[in-house]
Amino acid sequence: MIFSFKPEPKYSAVALFFQNIQEKIFLYKEHILSTSEIYEQKLAEALTPLHEESNAKLIEVRAKHESVLRENKGNKDAELIALHESGLDDAEGYYQYLEENIQQEHDELHDFFNKSSLIMLYSLLESELKKLCQIMQEIKMSRIGIEHFSNSNYIKGCFNYLDLVIELPAHPLESFQTKISYLQLFRNRIVHSSAELSPNSTNEEKNLLKQALNDAKEAVIISEGQFDNKRTIKIYSKQYLLQSLELIADLFLTLYQIINHENNYLIVKEELLSFFSAEISDIEIIIDSHQHIKNGAKFQFTICQKAKTGGTEIIHLNASVSSAASLEVATINQCKDSKLASEVANQIKKKEKYFASIFKEWTIANPSMSVNITLYE
């Protein structure tokens, strides 16, 4: 066992926020997938013995049906006689009824879980946006807080506040606000009316519902009441939860990139400093430039190390990150006789996956990423 007495790296509040939200989103996804799997297992456990019993019974009654048909060959009512004496119709109907009841019970359990999970996801979105607003208020030292933007649409208030303190670009966030309005519609109906739709909805509400259902791609449906004509939102599939979680993850990823840019890539700088300072002492990292490329980004850094004998050694690091089928990390060291460059290259080689994770927010990962590093003087 190796013990290290180096102090834990200190991250800014905004860096910690984005680290924590990633972890929460991961745990929410695991919760959704694992719970849905339990429900699927329960359904299989209920259906398996029923199928075994029905298969055995149907083999018996079908044999009886064929036997009666042979006995009544030439009789125009042979089929009716065979169905009656064998009980084939009754047996098929009985087992179909039992299977449909089990499936319906399973669907309702899924619906209850998915609706409660949807409320949880919406609460996550609200609470985390509020935290981010409070952090940005401190960073910008603004006297105006999120409480000045509170209204019935809390999430819209958060967007308005973030727009004030960091000037959110309109285009990247328009699609998020539209899709969040769909999520809000389903959440509000679930919370305020047990998922029932009002027969007195306005044309605007009807149009929004139509758009939301189209966006859900059949993962959310409207159930018509068999006796009372009530229309109720049903979420039988976990796909809408995963779709909503992906929406939230993409939103915070976009906010991460915007806030990074507005704060001179503070979060990337902190994570790189934490990565290298674990093994390399007295270093400083300066971000010189950043540019977007197809499915990724390019960064240029200056790394400085104070020598014990005085003076400072300086090297430069270029990092190009983009999507890839699998993780690829390549390092080229063009520095001659530089101890600092050798240490940096060795640190990257030893912990390639960790190093690559620092840049994962800058790629459209399908399913992984490529990182190409060049060190030069």
Side-chain angles (χ1 to χ4, degrees):
M1 184 179 291
I2 299 174
F3 294 93
S4 173
F5 295 97
K6 290 188 178 182
E8 287 291 318
K10 292 184 178 180
Y11 293 106
S12 64
V14 69
L16 286 172
F17 170 82
F18 283 109
Q19 290 173 9
N20 289 336
I21 190 63
Q22 284 183 355
E23 180 66 16
K24 287 179 182 178
I25 288 171
F26 170 78
L27 291 175
Y28 270 66
K29 184 175 182 179
E30 287 299 300
H31 172 62
I32 291 167
L33 292 174
S34 58
T35 306
S36 296
E37 185 178 349
I38 291 171
Y39 284 134
E40 295 298 334
Q41 289 174 350
K42 282 187 168 293
L43 175 63
E45 289 171 4
L47 288 178
T48 298
L50 177 65
H51 288 161
E52 291 173 352
E53 179 186 329
S54 65
N55 288 339
K57 183 63 177 178
L58 289 174
I59 288 173
E60 177 186 331
V61 298
R62 282 170 183 155
K64 176 67 173 176
H65 176 263
E66 291 298 321
S67 174
V68 175
L69 276 179
R70 286 193 299 270
E71 292 172 3
N72 291 271
K73 188 176 180 181
N75 188 331
K76 64 177 182 178
D77 297 322
E79 179 63 23
L80 291 174
I81 296 170
L83 287 174
H84 174 72
E85 293 190 11
S86 66
L88 179 58
D89 269 357
D90 291 339
E92 288 178 335
Y94 173 71
Y95 286 111
Q96 182 180 351
Y97 168 78
L98 291 180
E99 182 168 346
E100 286 175 354
N101 274 358
I102 292 172
Q103 184 66 55
Q104 184 178 7
E105 183 179 289
H106 168 266
D107 289 343
E108 291 302 314
L109 285 172
H110 250 309
D111 180 54
F112 294 154
F113 168 72
N114 291 338
K115 284 174 180 173
S116 61
S117 296
L118 185 65
I119 294 169
M120 267 198 325
L121 291 183
Y122 189 84
S123 298
L124 172 72
L125 176 59
E126 273 192 336
S127 62
E128 295 304 316
L129 278 175
K130 179 182 178 181
K131 286 179 189 175
L132 183 58
C133 289
Q134 292 168 337
I135 291 168
M136 294 312 301
Q137 180 185 3
E138 292 181 8
I139 290 175
K140 298 295 183 178
M141 294 183 290
S142 174
R143 289 178 299 174
I144 301 174
I146 181 59
E147 63 274 9
H148 295 94
F149 287 76
S150 58
N151 54 44
S152 58
N153 190 336
Y154 194 84
I155 290 177
K156 185 177 181 180
C158 289
F159 274 116
N160 289 338
Y161 183 76
L162 291 173
D163 191 26
L164 172 72
V165 294
I166 58 178
E167 297 183 0
L168 296 177
H171 178 66
L173 294 174
E174 282 178 357
S175 63
F176 288 112
Q177 296 192 60
T178 299
K179 288 181 178 292
I180 287 171
S181 70
Y182 303 155
L183 184 61
Q184 283 177 320
L185 172 66
F186 293 139
R187 178 263 180 191
N188 289 342
R189 293 282 68 79
I190 293 167
V191 170
H192 299 301
S193 60
S194 299
E196 288 182 14
L197 298 175
S198 170
N200 302 316
S201 298
T202 64
N203 288 334
E204 182 180 354
E205 289 171 336
K206 290 176 182 177
N207 288 334
L208 184 62
L209 175 63
K210 183 178 179 180
Q211 294 167 15
L213 291 171
N214 288 338
D215 183 68
K217 298 174 182 175
E218 298 184 357
V220 180
I221 64 170
I222 303 301
S223 174
E224 303 282 350
Q226 189 174 0
F227 304 108
D228 53 15
N229 294 323
K230 288 183 179 179
R231 302 174 71 238
T232 308
I233 295 169
K234 294 290 185 180
I235 309 177
Y236 293 135
S237 170
K238 66 178 178 289
Q239 292 308 314
Y240 187 69
L241 298 181
L242 298 176
Q243 179 182 326
S244 300
L245 196 57
E246 185 178 350
L247 171 68
I248 294 170
D250 288 347
L251 169 63
F252 283 109
L253 169 58
T254 301
L255 290 171
Y256 168 90
Q257 294 179 344
I258 293 170
I259 292 170
N260 241 315
H261 178 75
E262 292 294 322
N263 291 274
N264 197 26
Y265 301 98
L266 169 69
I267 305 172
V268 173
K269 178 180 174 180
E270 287 183 352
E271 291 181 333
L272 280 174
L273 191 60
S274 172
F275 176 82
F276 287 120
S277 62
E279 300 290 338
I280 307 170
S281 59
D282 299 319
I283 66 167
E284 180 184 355
I285 296 176
I286 301 167
I287 298 181
D288 300 314
S289 66
H290 162 267
Q291 68 181 95
H292 288 283
I293 60 174
K294 185 177 181 181
N295 294 337
K298 281 185 178 180
F299 289 91
Q300 184 179 42
F301 306 98
T302 296
I303 303 178
C304 311
Q305 183 182 43
K306 292 179 181 179
K308 292 180 181 179
T309 56
T312 303
E313 183 176 1
I314 298 174
I315 63 170
H316 301 283
L317 184 153
N318 280 354
S320 176
V321 297
S322 59
S323 299
S326 58
L327 179 63
E328 302 168 5
V329 180
T331 305
I332 299 174
N333 185 359
Q334 296 179 344
C335 300
K336 295 181 180 179
D337 303 321
S338 170
K339 181 182 177 184
L340 175 59
S342 297
E343 289 178 334
V344 167
N346 288 337
Q347 182 77 348
I348 293 171
K349 186 175 181 180
K350 283 196 298 183
K351 299 180 179 179
E352 289 183 344
K353 191 173 182 180
Y354 179 14
F355 182 79
S357 71
I358 295 171
F359 300 96
K360 64 182 178 298
E361 287 85 359
W362 301 94
T363 68
I364 303 172
N366 286 319
S368 191
M369 61 190 293
S370 168
V371 184
N372 294 294
I373 304 114
T374 303
L375 300 170
Y376 60 98
E377 294 175 330

